[in-house]
């Protein structure tokens, strides 16, 4: 490598973030995602089942939800939260993390709902890299 340049390796990611790098890959594309179904459920219906509600229309742009909706809705978890509520907040946190930190893009203020399939079953989450 020339002086002053470096490349982030997979081992760097594993070390710095503490994330496994030998599981199933997290990837996906947005083409025709609005037709994506999980057990014959339209995407937005699935979103509502996973998060307990749908964002208002002014918080949605195409197949994304503005980060502010997640921030306003899931900002503070009450101390007496049920197991189901904790799962919803965990999903919301992971959706934001995937869209803003790990797979950020130019929007920098929207969360892609394409990550639904990765946060739907929290018991499988450890199998992903």
């Amino acid at each position: 490598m020339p002086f002053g340049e470096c490349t982030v390796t997979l081992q760097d990611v594993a070390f710095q973030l503490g994330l496994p790098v030998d599981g199933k890959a997290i990837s996906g594309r947005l083409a025709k995602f609005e037709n994506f179904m999980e057990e014959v459920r339209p995407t937005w219906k699935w979103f509502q089942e996973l998060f307990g509600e749908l964002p208002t229309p002014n918080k949605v742009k195409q197949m994304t939800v503005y980060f502010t909706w997640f921030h306003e809705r899931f900002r503070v978890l009450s101390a007496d939260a049920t197991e189901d509520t904790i799962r919803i907040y965990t999903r919301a946190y992971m959706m934001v993390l995937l869209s803003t930190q790990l797979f950020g893009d130019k929007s920098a203020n929207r969360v892609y709902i394409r990550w639904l399939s990765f946060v739907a079953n929290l018991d499988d989450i450890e199998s992903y890299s």
Side-chain angles (χ1 to χ4, degrees):
M1 274 187 278
F3 180 78
E5 294 182 21
C6 68
T7 301
V8 177
T9 66
L10 200 53
Q11 289 85 2
D12 294 331
V13 172
F15 180 75
Q16 292 177 359
L17 299 178
L19 298 173
V21 294
D22 56 354
K24 296 185 291 189
I26 294 180
S27 65
R29 59 187 193 132
L30 290 176
K32 297 185 180 179
F33 186 75
E34 63 275 1
N35 297 326
F36 179 74
M37 301 274 208
E38 210 298 312
E39 296 179 11
V40 194
R41 288 179 289 186
T43 303
W44 287 108
K45 182 170 174 42
W46 194 24
F47 184 96
Q48 185 173 13
E49 290 172 9
L50 292 175
F51 295 102
E53 64 184 86
L54 285 174
T56 58
N58 67 329
K59 296 290 185 177
V60 174
K61 183 175 184 179
Q62 296 171 338
M63 300 308 285
T64 63
V65 177
Y66 282 98
F67 169 74
T68 54
W69 181 81
F70 280 93
H71 182 70
E72 292 163 0
R73 172 66 177 84
F74 302 107
R75 184 173 176 176
V76 178
L77 179 65
S78 65
D80 61 343
T82 65
E83 183 72 25
D84 288 338
T85 303
I86 293 170
R87 287 181 169 278
I88 290 171
Y89 274 68
T90 301
R91 285 188 193 103
Y93 176 77
M94 292 173 62
M95 289 281 286
V96 169
L97 185 66
L98 286 167
S99 282
T100 61
Q101 301 298 313
L102 298 176
F103 298 101
D105 67 353
K106 293 187 299 185
S107 79
N109 66 351
R110 295 193 305 262
V111 175
Y112 286 96
I113 64 169
R114 75 182 195 187
W115 305 117
L116 284 179
S117 62
F118 298 103
V119 302
N121 188 352
L122 295 176
D123 296 330
D124 289 344
I125 203 70
E126 66 185 17
S127 67
Y128 292 102
S129 291

